[in-house]
Amino acid sequence: MKKFLKEFKEFISRGNVMDMAVGIIIGGAFTSIVSSLVSDIINPILGLFGGMNFDQLKITLLGEATLYYGRFITAVINFLIMALVIFVIIKAMNTAATRFHHKEKEEEKQEPTTKKCPFCKSEIAIDAVRCPHCTSVLED
């Protein structure tokens, strides 16, 4: 049991678990913002063209049973907007990461300034014709 608790403590104290928790909290808050955007701004604007708000669309079945399919349409619009925003954020992050890695690769591609002597294996200047350590004549 102690080993289990120790493993659980290590799992919880990892940075990626905390990052995930923060992401879930921010995602929940962001969901309410997108829901408000759709229900308070987009649906009324679409209602101007369609004559009504999606939330008000419903079908009454057999007396008291009511299908609110307009709320489902609103939920689909919420999902699509959320997916679009996440797609744009991920695309921007990937573009930034690609540019950052490209700059790192350019820095790595710098020409070497030293080489190893084939005789004594010491590090010497790249344009040296004689090793300063073992005095061997170096061929190109």
Side-chain angles (χ1 to χ4, degrees), residues 71-92:
R71 292 181 186 171
F72 176 74
I73 293 172
T74 301
V76 170
I77 292 171
N78 282 347
F79 171 77
L80 292 174
I81 290 174
M82 185 76 83
L84 175 67
V85 168
I86 291 172
F87 171 75
V88 169
I89 290 171
I90 298 295
K91 188 166 177 67

Side-chain angles (χ1 to χ4, degrees), residues 1-10:
M1 187 68 174
K2 286 184 180 183
K3 184 179 178 185
F4 177 78
L5 291 175
K6 180 181 176 187
E7 288 177 8
F8 181 70
K9 181 181 175 185
E10 289 174 5

